[in-house]
Amino acid sequence: MANLKSLLVPLLFLLSSSLQAFAIDAGEFGVEIGDFGGQTVAGKVYAVDKNTLYVRGFKFNVRDADAFFWAGKENVPSTSGEIVRYPAEPKTPDPQKLPVLNDVAFILKLPHGLTIKSLKSLAVWDKTKLKSLGSIVIPENLVVPEPRVLPEFSRIAHGLRSGNVTILDAKTFLIPDLHYDGTGPDAYFLVGNGSKPHGNGVKVPNEHGSLNVLHGYNGETIVIQLPQPLTVYNIEWLVMWCIKYNHNFGYVRIPKDLNVPPALEQNKTGVRVLISIP
Ligand SMILES: *[C@@H]1O[C@H](CO)[C@@H](O)[C@H](O)[C@H]1NC(C)=O
Ligand SMILES: *[C@@H]1O[C@H](CO)[C@@H](O)[C@H](O)[C@H]1NC(C)=O
Ligand SMILES: *[C@@H]1O[C@H](CO)[C@@H](O)[C@H](O)[C@H]1NC(C)=O
Protein backbone atom coordinates (compact mmCIF):
# COMPACT_ATOMS: atom_id res chain seq x y z
CA MET A 1 0.00 0.00 0.00
CA ALA A 2 2.89 2.38 0.76
CA ASN A 3 4.05 1.72 -2.76
CA LEU A 4 0.69 2.65 -4.18
CA LYS A 5 0.56 5.91 -2.26
CA SER A 6 4.00 7.09 -3.28
CA LEU A 7 3.11 6.45 -6.86
CA LEU A 8 -0.04 8.51 -6.73
CA VAL A 9 1.15 11.47 -4.75
CA PRO A 10 2.88 13.09 -7.74
CA LEU A 11 -0.38 12.84 -9.65
CA LEU A 12 -2.40 14.40 -6.89
CA PHE A 13 -1.93 18.01 -7.71
CA LEU A 14 -3.86 20.74 -9.34
CA LEU A 15 -2.55 23.23 -11.79
CA SER A 16 -2.75 26.21 -9.50
CA SER A 17 -2.62 28.90 -12.13
CA SER A 18 -5.46 27.66 -14.26
CA LEU A 19 -8.09 26.12 -12.04
CA GLN A 20 -10.56 27.94 -14.20
CA ALA A 21 -9.42 26.37 -17.43
CA PHE A 22 -10.05 22.67 -17.09
CA ALA A 23 -10.70 20.89 -20.31
CA ILE A 24 -12.92 17.91 -19.70
CA ASP A 25 -13.26 14.98 -22.02
CA ALA A 26 -16.42 13.38 -23.32
CA GLY A 27 -18.87 15.68 -21.59
CA GLU A 28 -18.36 13.63 -18.46
CA PHE A 29 -18.20 15.84 -15.42
CA GLY A 30 -19.44 13.49 -12.75
CA VAL A 31 -22.94 12.94 -11.39
CA GLU A 32 -25.01 16.12 -11.46
CA ILE A 33 -26.08 17.28 -8.00
CA GLY A 34 -27.84 20.54 -8.75
CA ASP A 35 -27.88 23.97 -10.31
CA PHE A 36 -27.54 27.22 -8.36
CA GLY A 37 -29.50 28.81 -11.17
CA GLY A 38 -29.95 32.24 -9.60
CA GLN A 39 -29.25 35.87 -10.45
CA THR A 40 -26.49 36.22 -7.86
CA VAL A 41 -25.09 32.69 -7.96
CA ALA A 42 -25.34 30.43 -11.02
CA GLY A 43 -23.71 27.20 -12.14
CA LYS A 44 -24.02 23.44 -12.05
CA VAL A 45 -22.47 21.24 -9.37
CA TYR A 46 -21.34 17.65 -9.94
CA ALA A 47 -20.11 14.89 -7.63
CA VAL A 48 -16.67 13.71 -8.77
CA ASP A 49 -15.88 11.36 -5.89
CA LYS A 50 -16.79 11.04 -2.25
CA ASN A 51 -15.31 14.38 -1.22
CA THR A 52 -14.76 16.21 -4.49
CA LEU A 53 -17.15 18.49 -6.34
CA TYR A 54 -16.84 19.93 -9.82
CA VAL A 55 -18.56 23.23 -10.57
CA ARG A 56 -19.20 24.46 -14.12
CA GLY A 57 -20.56 27.62 -15.64
CA PHE A 58 -20.21 29.28 -12.27
CA LYS A 59 -21.12 32.93 -11.88
CA PHE A 60 -21.02 35.11 -8.80
CA ASN A 61 -21.62 38.79 -9.25
CA VAL A 62 -21.41 40.47 -5.84
CA ARG A 63 -18.27 42.54 -5.40
CA ASP A 64 -16.51 42.47 -1.99
CA ALA A 65 -19.07 40.22 -0.37
CA ASP A 66 -17.95 38.29 2.73
CA ALA A 67 -18.95 35.18 0.79
CA PHE A 68 -17.73 31.59 0.91
CA PHE A 69 -18.80 28.21 -0.38
CA TRP A 70 -20.58 26.65 2.56
CA ALA A 71 -21.23 22.97 3.27
CA GLY A 72 -24.38 22.44 5.31
CA LYS A 73 -25.91 19.56 7.21
CA GLU A 74 -29.40 20.97 6.73
CA ASN A 75 -31.37 21.59 3.55
CA VAL A 76 -31.61 25.26 4.42
CA PRO A 77 -28.16 26.78 4.85
CA SER A 78 -27.46 28.13 8.33
CA THR A 79 -24.61 29.46 10.46
CA SER A 80 -23.65 25.88 11.32
CA GLY A 81 -22.11 25.25 7.89
CA GLU A 82 -18.44 24.90 7.10
CA ILE A 83 -16.32 26.79 4.61
CA VAL A 84 -15.33 24.89 1.47
CA ARG A 85 -12.24 26.63 0.22
CA TYR A 86 -12.01 28.24 -3.18
CA PRO A 87 -9.69 27.78 -4.92
CA ALA A 88 -9.25 24.16 -3.88
CA GLU A 89 -5.47 24.55 -3.92
CA PRO A 90 -5.21 27.64 -1.72
CA LYS A 91 -2.28 30.02 -1.85
CA THR A 92 -3.12 31.63 1.50
CA PRO A 93 -3.41 30.10 4.98
CA ASP A 94 -6.87 31.61 5.52
CA PRO A 95 -9.88 31.11 3.27
CA GLN A 96 -10.34 33.98 0.83
CA LYS A 97 -13.65 35.64 0.08
CA LEU A 98 -15.26 34.53 -3.13
CA PRO A 99 -14.36 36.99 -5.90
CA VAL A 100 -16.67 37.99 -8.70
CA LEU A 101 -16.57 35.11 -11.18
CA ASN A 102 -18.07 34.81 -14.61
CA ASP A 103 -18.61 31.41 -16.23
CA VAL A 104 -15.72 29.48 -14.70
CA ALA A 105 -15.20 25.79 -13.95
CA PHE A 106 -13.30 24.42 -10.96
CA ILE A 107 -12.90 21.65 -8.43
CA LEU A 108 -13.93 21.99 -4.78
CA LYS A 109 -12.54 19.67 -2.09
CA LEU A 110 -14.65 19.22 1.03
CA PRO A 111 -12.75 19.95 4.25
CA HIS A 112 -11.35 17.40 6.70
CA GLY A 113 -13.20 14.20 6.16
CA LEU A 114 -16.56 15.64 5.13
CA THR A 115 -18.18 13.59 2.40
CA ILE A 116 -20.77 14.68 -0.12
CA LYS A 117 -23.16 12.09 1.33
CA SER A 118 -22.83 13.63 4.81
CA LEU A 119 -24.12 16.99 3.53
CA LYS A 120 -27.58 18.28 2.78
CA SER A 121 -26.71 21.53 1.05
CA LEU A 122 -24.03 23.57 -0.63
CA ALA A 123 -24.41 27.33 -0.51
CA VAL A 124 -22.63 30.57 -1.13
CA TRP A 125 -22.92 32.07 2.34
CA ASP A 126 -22.38 35.65 3.42
CA LYS A 127 -20.67 35.47 6.82
CA THR A 128 -21.33 39.12 7.65
CA LYS A 129 -24.98 39.21 6.69
CA LEU A 130 -25.50 35.62 7.90
CA LYS A 131 -27.48 34.67 4.85
CA SER A 132 -27.30 32.42 1.85
CA LEU A 133 -26.80 34.11 -1.52
CA GLY A 134 -27.70 30.91 -3.38
CA SER A 135 -27.78 27.21 -2.56
CA ILE A 136 -28.47 23.73 -3.82
CA VAL A 137 -29.89 20.75 -1.95
CA ILE A 138 -27.90 17.54 -2.16
CA PRO A 139 -30.38 14.77 -3.03
CA GLU A 140 -30.51 11.90 -0.56
CA ASN A 141 -30.45 9.29 -3.31
CA LEU A 142 -27.35 10.75 -4.99
CA VAL A 143 -25.01 7.99 -6.21
CA VAL A 144 -21.52 9.39 -5.88
CA PRO A 145 -18.92 8.02 -8.33
CA GLU A 146 -16.12 5.95 -6.87
CA PRO A 147 -13.13 3.97 -8.14
CA ARG A 148 -14.03 0.39 -9.02
CA VAL A 149 -11.98 -2.65 -8.06
CA LEU A 150 -11.84 -5.36 -10.73
CA PRO A 151 -10.29 -8.82 -10.54
CA GLU A 152 -6.60 -9.35 -11.33
CA PHE A 153 -5.26 -9.98 -14.86
CA SER A 154 -5.96 -13.57 -15.86
CA ARG A 155 -2.72 -15.56 -15.94
CA ILE A 156 -2.34 -16.97 -19.44
CA ALA A 157 1.25 -16.57 -20.63
CA HIS A 158 4.70 -15.04 -20.08
CA GLY A 159 4.34 -14.92 -16.30
CA LEU A 160 1.77 -12.13 -16.51
CA ARG A 161 0.03 -11.61 -13.19
CA SER A 162 -1.11 -8.66 -11.09
CA GLY A 163 -3.07 -7.62 -8.06
CA ASN A 164 -6.66 -6.51 -8.47
CA VAL A 165 -6.88 -3.82 -11.13
CA THR A 166 -8.66 -0.60 -10.07
CA ILE A 167 -10.44 1.81 -12.38
CA LEU A 168 -9.47 5.14 -10.81
CA ASP A 169 -11.46 7.30 -13.19
CA ALA A 170 -13.07 7.13 -16.62
CA LYS A 171 -9.69 6.93 -18.38
CA THR A 172 -7.30 5.57 -15.76
CA PHE A 173 -6.32 2.10 -14.56
CA LEU A 174 -4.18 1.31 -11.55
CA ILE A 175 -2.43 -2.06 -11.94
CA PRO A 176 -0.70 -3.14 -8.72
CA ASP A 177 2.01 -5.74 -8.33
CA LEU A 178 2.45 -6.32 -12.06
CA HIS A 179 4.67 -9.18 -13.22
CA TYR A 180 5.58 -10.03 -16.80
CA ASP A 181 8.73 -11.71 -18.13
CA GLY A 182 9.25 -9.11 -20.86
CA THR A 183 10.02 -11.61 -23.63
CA GLY A 184 7.01 -10.99 -25.90
CA PRO A 185 8.46 -9.44 -29.11
CA ASP A 186 5.42 -7.28 -29.90
CA ALA A 187 3.47 -6.94 -26.65
CA TYR A 188 1.22 -4.00 -25.73
CA PHE A 189 -1.70 -3.14 -23.53
CA LEU A 190 -4.75 -3.17 -25.80
CA VAL A 191 -8.38 -2.34 -25.15
CA GLY A 192 -11.35 -3.24 -27.27
CA ASN A 193 -14.82 -4.62 -27.67
CA GLY A 194 -16.20 -8.11 -27.99
CA SER A 195 -16.63 -11.09 -25.72
CA LYS A 196 -12.92 -11.87 -25.72
CA PRO A 197 -9.69 -10.03 -26.49
CA HIS A 198 -8.34 -9.86 -30.05
CA GLY A 199 -5.56 -8.05 -31.87
CA ASN A 200 -7.75 -5.34 -33.40
CA GLY A 201 -7.96 -3.33 -30.23
CA VAL A 202 -6.54 0.10 -29.51
CA LYS A 203 -3.04 0.37 -27.99
CA VAL A 204 -2.86 1.96 -24.56
CA PRO A 205 0.37 3.80 -23.71
CA ASN A 206 2.44 2.31 -20.88
CA GLU A 207 2.95 4.01 -17.51
CA HIS A 208 5.42 6.45 -19.12
CA GLY A 209 2.96 7.43 -21.85
CA SER A 210 4.96 5.47 -24.44
CA LEU A 211 3.64 3.16 -27.15
CA ASN A 212 6.90 1.19 -27.32
CA VAL A 213 6.82 -2.60 -26.99
CA LEU A 214 6.28 -3.46 -23.31
CA HIS A 215 9.31 -4.28 -21.19
CA GLY A 216 9.23 -6.69 -18.27
CA TYR A 217 7.60 -5.94 -14.93
CA ASN A 218 8.71 -7.21 -11.58
CA GLY A 219 6.01 -6.31 -9.07
CA GLU A 220 5.65 -2.63 -10.00
CA THR A 221 2.42 -0.73 -9.47
CA ILE A 222 1.58 1.24 -12.58
CA VAL A 223 -1.04 3.72 -13.76
CA ILE A 224 -2.07 3.75 -17.42
CA GLN A 225 -4.52 5.98 -19.25
CA LEU A 226 -6.77 5.36 -22.21
CA PRO A 227 -5.99 7.43 -25.31
CA GLN A 228 -8.53 9.93 -26.62
CA PRO A 229 -11.43 9.54 -27.15
CA LEU A 230 -11.81 6.27 -25.25
CA THR A 231 -13.18 5.90 -21.74
CA VAL A 232 -13.88 2.81 -19.66
CA TYR A 233 -17.51 3.17 -20.77
CA ASN A 234 -16.69 2.21 -24.36
CA ILE A 235 -14.35 -0.76 -23.97
CA GLU A 236 -15.03 -4.31 -22.88
CA TRP A 237 -11.56 -5.61 -22.01
CA LEU A 238 -7.97 -4.64 -21.23
CA VAL A 239 -5.40 -7.18 -22.36
CA MET A 240 -1.64 -7.62 -22.61
CA TRP A 241 -1.33 -8.89 -26.17
CA CYS A 242 1.46 -9.81 -28.60
CA ILE A 243 0.34 -8.45 -31.95
CA LYS A 244 2.91 -10.32 -34.07
CA TYR A 245 1.94 -13.74 -32.67
CA ASN A 246 -1.70 -12.93 -31.86
CA HIS A 247 -1.07 -14.09 -28.35
CA ASN A 248 -3.17 -13.24 -25.29
CA PHE A 249 -0.95 -13.04 -22.17
CA GLY A 250 -3.83 -12.23 -19.81
CA TYR A 251 -6.69 -9.76 -19.49
CA VAL A 252 -9.42 -8.18 -17.37
CA ARG A 253 -13.02 -7.63 -18.34
CA ILE A 254 -14.52 -4.16 -17.94
CA PRO A 255 -17.99 -4.31 -16.38
CA LYS A 256 -20.89 -2.34 -17.86
CA ASP A 257 -22.34 -1.00 -14.62
CA LEU A 258 -19.62 1.54 -13.88
CA ASN A 259 -20.00 4.81 -12.00
CA VAL A 260 -16.40 5.94 -11.68
CA PRO A 261 -15.08 9.48 -11.21
CA PRO A 262 -14.86 11.51 -14.40
CA ALA A 263 -11.44 12.00 -15.98
CA LEU A 264 -11.01 15.70 -15.40
CA GLU A 265 -7.91 16.74 -17.20
CA GLN A 266 -5.87 19.61 -18.42
CA ASN A 267 -5.03 18.13 -21.79
CA LYS A 268 -2.58 20.74 -23.00
CA THR A 269 -0.17 20.47 -20.10
CA GLY A 270 -0.83 16.87 -19.22
CA VAL A 271 -1.72 17.88 -15.68
CA ARG A 272 -4.59 15.97 -14.22
CA VAL A 273 -6.63 15.81 -11.12
CA LEU A 274 -6.31 12.33 -9.80
CA ILE A 275 -9.04 11.14 -7.59
CA SER A 276 -8.53 9.94 -4.03
CA ILE A 277 -8.11 6.19 -3.61
CA PRO A 278 -10.58 4.39 -1.39
C1 LIG B 1 -9.88 -8.95 -5.76
O1 LIG B 1 -10.78 -9.49 -6.70
C2 LIG B 1 -11.40 -10.67 -6.26
C3 LIG B 1 -12.19 -11.23 -7.44
O2 LIG B 1 -12.97 -10.24 -8.04
C4 LIG B 1 -12.27 -10.36 -5.06
O3 LIG B 1 -12.89 -11.53 -4.60
C5 LIG B 1 -11.39 -9.77 -3.98
O4 LIG B 1 -12.19 -9.36 -2.89
C6 LIG B 1 -10.62 -8.59 -4.50
N1 LIG B 1 -9.69 -8.13 -3.50
C7 LIG B 1 -9.69 -6.90 -3.05
C8 LIG B 1 -8.62 -6.57 -2.06
O5 LIG B 1 -10.50 -6.06 -3.40
C1 LIG C 1 -16.36 -0.14 -28.71
O1 LIG C 1 -17.64 0.16 -29.23
C2 LIG C 1 -18.08 1.48 -28.95
C3 LIG C 1 -19.47 1.63 -29.50
O2 LIG C 1 -20.29 0.65 -28.97
C4 LIG C 1 -17.16 2.49 -29.58
O3 LIG C 1 -17.56 3.78 -29.22
C5 LIG C 1 -15.75 2.26 -29.10
O4 LIG C 1 -14.85 3.12 -29.77
C6 LIG C 1 -15.33 0.82 -29.30
N1 LIG C 1 -14.06 0.63 -28.62
C7 LIG C 1 -12.95 0.32 -29.26
C8 LIG C 1 -11.73 0.19 -28.41
O5 LIG C 1 -12.88 0.17 -30.45
C1 LIG D 1 -8.57 19.88 -24.84
O1 LIG D 1 -9.39 18.92 -25.44
C2 LIG D 1 -10.61 19.40 -25.96
C3 LIG D 1 -11.41 18.25 -26.51
O2 LIG D 1 -11.08 17.06 -25.91
C4 LIG D 1 -10.34 20.41 -27.05
O3 LIG D 1 -11.57 20.95 -27.50
C5 LIG D 1 -9.49 21.54 -26.49
O4 LIG D 1 -9.13 22.40 -27.51
C6 LIG D 1 -8.22 20.97 -25.85
N1 LIG D 1 -7.53 22.02 -25.19
C7 LIG D 1 -6.23 22.24 -25.36
C8 LIG D 1 -5.70 23.39 -24.60
O5 LIG D 1 -5.55 21.54 -26.06
XYZ file of all heavy atoms in Angstrom, residues 24-31 46-54 107 109 116 143-149 166-173 226 230-233 257-265 272-278:
439
model
N -12.338 19.148 -20.184
C -12.919 17.914 -19.696
C -13.296 17.070 -20.899
O -13.885 17.569 -21.838
C -14.206 18.215 -18.910
C -13.975 19.310 -17.882
C -14.757 16.974 -18.288
C -13.074 18.951 -16.781
N -12.950 15.800 -20.859
C -13.261 14.982 -22.019
C -14.690 14.468 -21.984
O -15.287 14.313 -20.930
C -12.294 13.795 -22.076
C -12.556 12.824 -20.969
O -12.309 13.200 -19.821
O -13.049 11.722 -21.246
N -15.202 14.176 -23.136
C -16.415 13.383 -23.322
C -17.658 13.900 -22.602
O -18.595 13.154 -22.368
C -16.162 11.929 -22.904
N -17.691 15.157 -22.269
C -18.873 15.683 -21.590
C -19.166 14.991 -20.280
O -20.275 15.007 -19.778
N -18.174 14.375 -19.689
C -18.361 13.632 -18.455
C -17.792 14.434 -17.300
O -16.581 14.528 -17.143
C -17.608 12.296 -18.541
C -18.323 11.244 -19.334
C -19.422 10.586 -18.508
O -19.229 10.431 -17.290
O -20.460 10.246 -19.076
N -18.664 14.984 -16.494
C -18.197 15.845 -15.416
C -18.431 15.233 -14.048
O -18.125 15.833 -13.030
C -18.906 17.197 -15.482
C -18.856 17.820 -16.840
C -20.018 18.097 -17.538
C -17.631 18.107 -17.427
C -19.963 18.659 -18.793
C -17.569 18.675 -18.685
C -18.742 18.947 -19.371
N -19.025 14.076 -14.009
C -19.438 13.489 -12.747
C -20.952 13.427 -12.698
O -21.624 13.702 -13.689
N -21.486 13.060 -11.536
C -22.938 12.943 -11.388
C -23.500 14.306 -10.977
O -23.056 14.892 -9.992
C -23.275 11.880 -10.323
C -24.772 11.865 -10.037
C -22.804 10.504 -10.794
N -21.405 19.091 -9.690
C -21.339 17.650 -9.944
C -20.534 16.963 -8.840
O -19.582 17.540 -8.302
C -20.627 17.376 -11.268
C -21.293 17.990 -12.475
C -21.120 19.338 -12.767
C -22.091 17.224 -13.316
C -21.721 19.917 -13.879
C -22.693 17.787 -14.426
C -22.512 19.134 -14.701
O -23.110 19.691 -15.801
N -20.900 15.717 -8.555
C -20.112 14.887 -7.635
C -19.053 14.163 -8.446
O -19.358 13.451 -9.401
C -21.015 13.865 -6.941
N -17.784 14.350 -8.075
C -16.669 13.705 -8.765
C -16.286 12.421 -8.046
O -16.128 11.363 -8.643
C -15.467 14.674 -8.847
C -14.207 13.955 -9.311
C -15.794 15.832 -9.770
N -16.087 12.536 -6.738
C -15.877 11.358 -5.894
C -16.368 11.705 -4.504
O -16.998 12.748 -4.333
C -14.423 10.861 -5.925
C -13.465 11.793 -5.208
O -13.920 12.728 -4.518
O -12.241 11.587 -5.330
N -16.064 10.883 -3.501
C -16.788 11.041 -2.249
C -16.611 12.397 -1.572
O -17.503 12.860 -0.886
C -16.489 9.901 -1.277
C -15.069 9.786 -0.797
C -14.999 8.575 0.132
C -13.734 8.442 0.926
N -12.476 8.537 0.221
N -15.483 13.053 -1.822
C -15.312 14.384 -1.218
C -14.855 15.457 -2.203
O -14.286 16.459 -1.812
C -14.370 14.322 -0.008
C -13.070 13.613 -0.351
O -12.730 13.467 -1.522
N -12.351 13.177 0.647
N -15.149 15.238 -3.472
C -14.755 16.215 -4.492
C -15.953 16.632 -5.326
O -16.720 15.782 -5.794
C -13.686 15.606 -5.432
O -12.635 15.049 -4.648
C -13.119 16.653 -6.371
N -16.089 17.947 -5.498
C -17.148 18.494 -6.337
C -16.521 19.161 -7.550
O -15.391 19.654 -7.484
C -17.940 19.562 -5.560
C -18.619 19.094 -4.282
C -18.982 20.284 -3.416
C -19.858 18.284 -4.624
N -17.263 19.175 -8.649
C -16.837 19.930 -9.815
C -17.947 20.915 -10.113
O -19.131 20.540 -10.125
C -16.600 18.983 -10.999
C -16.133 19.683 -12.243
C -14.916 20.365 -12.259
C -16.895 19.669 -13.399
C -14.476 21.025 -13.399
C -16.460 20.315 -14.547
C -15.252 20.990 -14.531
O -14.828 21.637 -15.661
N -12.716 22.714 -9.411
C -12.902 21.647 -8.427
C -13.067 22.264 -7.050
O -12.420 23.259 -6.741
C -11.622 20.776 -8.415
C -11.435 20.024 -9.723
C -11.558 19.857 -7.221
C -12.091 18.685 -9.749
N -12.818 20.814 -2.975
C -12.542 19.666 -2.092
C -13.214 19.925 -0.757
O -12.984 20.970 -0.137
C -11.030 19.548 -1.863
C -10.288 18.865 -2.983
C -10.325 17.356 -2.767
C -9.665 16.622 -3.937
N -10.080 15.197 -3.962
N -19.583 14.120 0.527
C -20.772 14.681 -0.117
C -22.027 14.081 0.508
O -23.000 14.777 0.779
C -20.739 14.412 -1.639
C -19.555 15.144 -2.275
C -22.047 14.829 -2.290
C -19.317 14.798 -3.745
N -26.000 9.075 -6.141
C -25.014 7.991 -6.206
C -23.685 8.610 -6.606
O -23.493 9.007 -7.752
C -25.432 6.899 -7.208
C -24.422 5.763 -7.199
C -26.819 6.375 -6.861
N -22.795 8.705 -5.664
C -21.516 9.389 -5.883
C -20.548 8.430 -6.592
O -20.427 7.273 -6.189
C -20.948 9.848 -4.521
C -19.564 10.452 -4.680
C -21.897 10.848 -3.867
N -19.881 8.904 -7.638
C -18.919 8.022 -8.331
C -17.793 7.572 -7.398
O -17.419 8.306 -6.481
C -18.333 8.924 -9.437
C -19.300 10.031 -9.610
C -19.938 10.237 -8.265
N -17.286 6.393 -7.642
C -16.122 5.949 -6.871
C -15.285 5.011 -7.726
O -15.788 4.385 -8.660
C -16.535 5.269 -5.568
C -17.432 4.075 -5.762
C -17.799 3.409 -4.439
O -17.570 3.997 -3.372
O -18.309 2.286 -4.480
N -13.977 4.923 -7.410
C -13.133 3.972 -8.135
C -13.717 2.564 -8.017
O -14.411 2.255 -7.048
C -11.791 4.079 -7.419
C -11.780 5.457 -6.840
C -13.207 5.699 -6.418
N -13.436 1.726 -9.002
C -14.029 0.385 -9.023
C -12.911 -0.661 -9.051
O -12.043 -0.608 -9.926
C -14.899 0.264 -10.285
C -15.478 -1.087 -10.553
C -16.655 -1.390 -9.639
N -17.282 -2.620 -10.082
C -18.366 -2.672 -10.862
N -18.961 -1.559 -11.255
N -18.857 -3.838 -11.233
N -12.979 -1.574 -8.106
C -11.976 -2.645 -8.060
C -12.435 -3.807 -8.928
O -13.558 -4.294 -8.802
C -11.743 -3.132 -6.611
C -10.696 -4.246 -6.588
C -11.299 -1.974 -5.724
N -7.645 -1.578 -10.472
C -8.658 -0.603 -10.071
C -8.861 0.427 -11.176
O -7.888 0.945 -11.726
C -8.246 0.130 -8.779
O -8.119 -0.820 -7.731
C -9.293 1.161 -8.361
N -10.133 0.693 -11.489
C -10.443 1.811 -12.382
C -10.507 3.055 -11.509
O -11.419 3.197 -10.685
C -11.784 1.598 -13.109
C -11.724 0.330 -13.967
C -12.115 2.819 -13.961
C -13.038 0.014 -14.679
N -9.518 3.939 -11.649
C -9.468 5.142 -10.811
C -10.446 6.200 -11.299
O -11.074 6.889 -10.508
C -8.062 5.733 -10.800
C -6.963 4.880 -10.180
C -5.624 5.603 -10.292
C -7.276 4.566 -8.729
N -10.503 6.364 -12.597
C -11.465 7.296 -13.191
C -11.758 6.827 -14.608
O -11.250 5.785 -15.028
C -10.968 8.751 -13.124
C -9.769 9.021 -14.016
O -9.678 8.454 -15.131
O -8.909 9.822 -13.610
N -12.550 7.588 -15.337
C -13.073 7.126 -16.620
C -11.994 6.817 -17.666
O -12.292 6.186 -18.678
C -14.066 8.145 -17.182
N -10.757 7.239 -17.427
C -9.694 6.930 -18.379
C -8.495 6.230 -17.745
O -7.513 5.969 -18.435
C -9.177 8.224 -19.028
C -10.201 8.945 -19.869
C -9.609 10.184 -20.518
C -8.966 9.893 -21.848
N -9.907 9.473 -22.896
N -8.532 5.931 -16.469
C -7.299 5.572 -15.764
C -7.407 4.246 -15.021
O -8.337 4.034 -14.237
C -6.945 6.687 -14.759
O -7.017 7.946 -15.419
C -5.558 6.483 -14.194
N -6.410 3.376 -15.274
C -6.315 2.102 -14.565
C -5.105 2.115 -13.639
O -4.030 2.558 -14.044
C -6.103 0.945 -15.548
C -7.278 0.651 -16.411
C -7.390 1.222 -17.671
C -8.273 -0.221 -15.983
C -8.471 0.938 -18.486
C -9.363 -0.517 -16.795
C -9.461 0.070 -18.051
N -6.242 5.608 -20.864
C -6.773 5.361 -22.208
C -6.514 6.563 -23.100
O -6.622 7.709 -22.658
C -8.278 5.094 -22.132
C -8.677 3.842 -21.355
C -10.197 3.775 -21.235
C -8.135 2.598 -22.036
N -11.234 7.406 -25.968
C -11.809 6.265 -25.249
C -11.973 6.542 -23.763
O -11.180 7.252 -23.144
C -10.919 5.034 -25.416
C -10.844 4.448 -26.821
C -9.878 3.270 -26.842
C -12.231 4.010 -27.290
N -13.013 5.939 -23.199
C -13.181 5.902 -21.743
C -13.529 4.456 -21.376
O -13.795 3.627 -22.254
C -14.326 6.814 -21.256
O -15.573 6.242 -21.682
C -14.182 8.227 -21.784
N -13.537 4.170 -20.097
C -13.881 2.812 -19.662
C -15.314 2.442 -20.025
O -15.670 1.268 -19.987
C -13.674 2.627 -18.137
C -12.192 2.667 -17.801
C -14.450 3.652 -17.331
N -16.121 3.447 -20.398
C -17.511 3.165 -20.767
C -17.628 2.644 -22.191
O -18.687 2.165 -22.587
C -18.383 4.410 -20.596
C -18.430 4.876 -19.167
C -17.649 5.932 -18.723
C -19.238 4.225 -18.232
C -17.673 6.348 -17.402
C -19.272 4.625 -16.916
C -18.486 5.679 -16.503
O -18.517 6.071 -15.193
N -21.627 -1.819 -15.612
C -22.337 -0.998 -14.617
C -21.377 -0.108 -13.837
O -21.311 -0.158 -12.621
C -23.082 -1.910 -13.646
C -22.131 -2.833 -12.899
O -21.018 -3.095 -13.421
O -22.474 -3.280 -11.788
N -20.623 0.717 -14.552
C -19.620 1.542 -13.877
C -20.190 2.904 -13.494
O -20.990 3.477 -14.233
C -18.427 1.751 -14.798
C -17.610 0.505 -15.158
C -16.589 0.851 -16.224
C -16.926 -0.060 -13.922
N -19.768 3.405 -12.351
C -20.002 4.812 -11.995
C -18.724 5.316 -11.341
O -18.629 5.429 -10.128
C -21.206 4.947 -11.061
C -21.473 6.404 -10.701
O -21.065 7.324 -11.424
N -22.118 6.629 -9.579
N -17.724 5.544 -12.184
C -16.404 5.937 -11.677
C -16.228 7.447 -11.833
O -16.944 8.083 -12.612
C -15.272 5.184 -12.418
C -15.334 3.693 -12.125
C -15.309 5.451 -13.916
N -15.304 8.038 -11.080
C -15.080 9.477 -11.206
C -14.764 9.858 -12.645
O -14.150 9.079 -13.386
C -13.876 9.728 -10.291
C -13.963 8.650 -9.265
C -14.457 7.448 -10.017
N -15.181 11.053 -13.054
C -14.862 11.507 -14.403
C -13.361 11.751 -14.524
O -12.690 11.979 -13.528
C -15.621 12.827 -14.513
C -15.717 13.322 -13.107
C -15.861 12.090 -12.259
N -12.861 11.692 -15.740
C -11.445 11.997 -15.983
C -11.335 13.487 -16.275
O -11.456 13.919 -17.409
C -10.930 11.171 -17.151
N -11.143 14.256 -15.214
C -11.009 15.702 -15.401
C -9.569 15.965 -15.743
O -8.680 15.609 -14.992
C -11.358 16.426 -14.102
C -12.751 16.173 -13.562
C -12.926 16.844 -12.219
C -13.798 16.673 -14.533
N -9.317 16.562 -16.858
C -7.914 16.743 -17.201
C -7.638 18.023 -17.936
O -8.464 18.601 -18.594
C -7.362 15.552 -17.976
C -7.990 15.357 -19.325
C -7.478 14.075 -19.968
O -6.294 13.770 -19.800
O -8.263 13.401 -20.621
N -3.243 16.449 -14.488
C -4.587 15.968 -14.222
C -4.889 15.945 -12.733
O -4.001 15.970 -11.918
C -4.834 14.603 -14.839
C -3.706 13.625 -14.698
C -3.970 12.374 -15.476
N -5.158 11.713 -15.011
C -6.303 11.690 -15.664
N -6.440 12.290 -16.801
N -7.331 11.048 -15.169
N -6.163 15.886 -12.491
C -6.629 15.808 -11.125
C -6.913 14.346 -10.868
O -7.854 13.787 -11.401
C -7.936 16.594 -10.964
C -8.407 16.522 -9.529
C -7.738 18.020 -11.410
N -6.080 13.736 -10.085
C -6.311 12.331 -9.796
C -7.187 12.248 -8.562
O -7.112 13.070 -7.670
C -4.977 11.639 -9.556
C -4.719 10.356 -10.308
C -5.237 9.214 -9.508
C -5.258 10.345 -11.713
N -7.982 11.252 -8.569
C -9.037 11.137 -7.590
C -8.519 10.332 -6.390
O -7.706 9.445 -6.555
C -10.216 10.423 -8.283
C -10.611 11.189 -9.543
C -11.361 10.210 -7.369
C -10.806 12.656 -9.373
N -9.013 10.639 -5.215
C -8.532 9.938 -4.028
C -8.851 8.447 -4.095
O -9.887 8.040 -4.609
C -9.147 10.553 -2.788
O -10.511 10.778 -3.005
N -7.964 7.646 -3.576
C -8.112 6.194 -3.613
C -8.893 5.750 -2.384
O -8.682 6.286 -1.315
C -6.719 5.546 -3.544
C -5.813 6.131 -4.618
C -6.782 4.042 -3.648
C -6.164 5.740 -5.988
N -9.807 4.812 -2.552
C -10.584 4.387 -1.387
C -9.696 3.738 -0.319
O -8.671 3.201 -0.653
C -11.565 3.362 -1.970
C -11.003 2.943 -3.268
C -10.104 4.039 -3.754
